[in-house]
Amino acid sequence: LQLRMFDEARVAYDALLARNPEHCGFHAGRQAAELRTTVATERWLNEAVDADAEKALRGLYERLQIRFPRSNVCRRLPLDFARDAEYFADSFTAYAAPYIRKGVPSLFADIKPLLSRDDKRDQIGRLISSWLDSLEQHGTFPHSPTEREVPSTIMWTLVLASQHADCCGDTASALKHIEAAITHTPTCLDLYLFKARIFKHA
């Protein structure tokens, strides 16, 4: 990179990613080679990203996600550099929905840094609300209207809605959502821990 041999850098970083597609440093180098810059950026969230850079990175990660379909990092990094609202919505849904379906409690801790940006915080809130409405009315996510979800999916979506509201300082909404989750599945002990955290933050 420092020699501005960007084509050679692409080949080198592609080889490194083949060894470990979860290494953020390798991704930063590959991104820099794609953008033809000597500056490797690991954290794009609060960096300036113009339309050309976003387009180039978007194309890169479309290819990497095909090449490494099981890589979490390949699906997570676009959430940081995405500035186009539609692209962010699609990327966020593709990233978060599988974790909600699996009931992964650490999902919010992973996406919480995104809430430092007003645009992403507001859009995530709207997405979660649309998911809840669709799950409550039809038992499906709006992006998968023919795939009926298991009952636990709505519970974990309520948890995510509660955590988002809590992080935004809306204690009343946070408690409303977590109470709904507890009513739905009172045997899930994690829910009571989440509720306690809301009271701690209030």
Side-chain angles (χ1 to χ4, degrees):
L1 281 178
Q2 298 307 311
L3 295 175
R4 305 187 69 83
M5 299 171 64
F6 300 120
D7 292 336
E8 292 81 355
R10 287 179 185 177
V11 174
Y13 279 109
D14 278 340
L16 289 170
L17 287 171
R19 290 173 174 264
N20 183 3
E22 305 301 302
H23 193 293
C24 291
F26 297 164
H27 281 273
R30 182 62 183 84
Q31 292 163 10
E34 189 73 15
L35 297 174
R36 304 188 75 80
T37 176
T38 59
V39 179
T41 302
E42 285 198 30
R43 301 183 183 278
W44 285 100
L45 185 59
N46 294 309
E47 296 292 328
V49 181
D50 62 30
D52 289 339
E54 182 178 8
K55 182 179 179 180
L57 292 173
R58 179 175 177 173
L60 171 62
Y61 278 88
E62 286 173 355
R63 298 192 301 273
L64 289 177
Q65 287 166 9
I66 293 172
R67 186 181 175 197
F68 306 112
R70 301 182 66 180
S71 170
N72 291 325
V73 172
C74 287
R75 289 184 293 112
R76 174 63 179 80
L77 290 180
L79 302 183
D80 287 347
F81 65 72
R83 298 294 182 266
D84 177 77
E86 184 177 354
Y87 175 54
F88 177 78
D90 291 344
S91 299
F92 183 80
T93 299
Y95 183 75
Y99 286 105
I100 293 173
R101 288 181 174 122
K102 294 176 183 177
V104 179
S106 61
L107 171 61
F108 185 73
D110 185 12
I111 65 170
K112 185 177 179 180
L114 299 172
L115 274 61
S116 65
R117 288 183 60 97
D118 292 345
D119 55 343
K120 294 184 187 293
R121 181 179 64 244
D122 295 344
Q123 191 170 7
I124 289 171
R126 291 193 297 271
L127 283 169
I128 296 172
S129 294
S130 72
W131 297 348
L132 274 178
D133 289 343
S134 183
L135 287 166
E136 289 171 349
Q137 294 177 28
H138 310 294
T140 64
F141 278 118
H143 63 280
S144 303
T146 61
E147 184 177 352
R148 192 161 187 85
E149 302 295 336
V150 297
S152 62
T153 299
I154 191 169
M155 181 201 78
W156 287 110
T157 306
L158 284 164
V159 169
L160 190 62
S162 176
Q163 293 170 319
H164 180 272
D166 183 36
C167 191
C168 293
D170 188 349
T171 302
S173 292
L175 287 172
K176 181 186 76 172
H177 290 309
I178 201 65
E179 288 290 1
I182 290 172
T183 299
H184 184 279
T185 312
T187 56
C188 180
L189 299 181
D190 284 331
L191 301 179
Y192 300 94
L193 295 176
F194 295 141
K195 183 177 179 179
R197 288 174 188 164
I198 295 171
F199 283 118
K200 180 181 178 181
H201 299 156

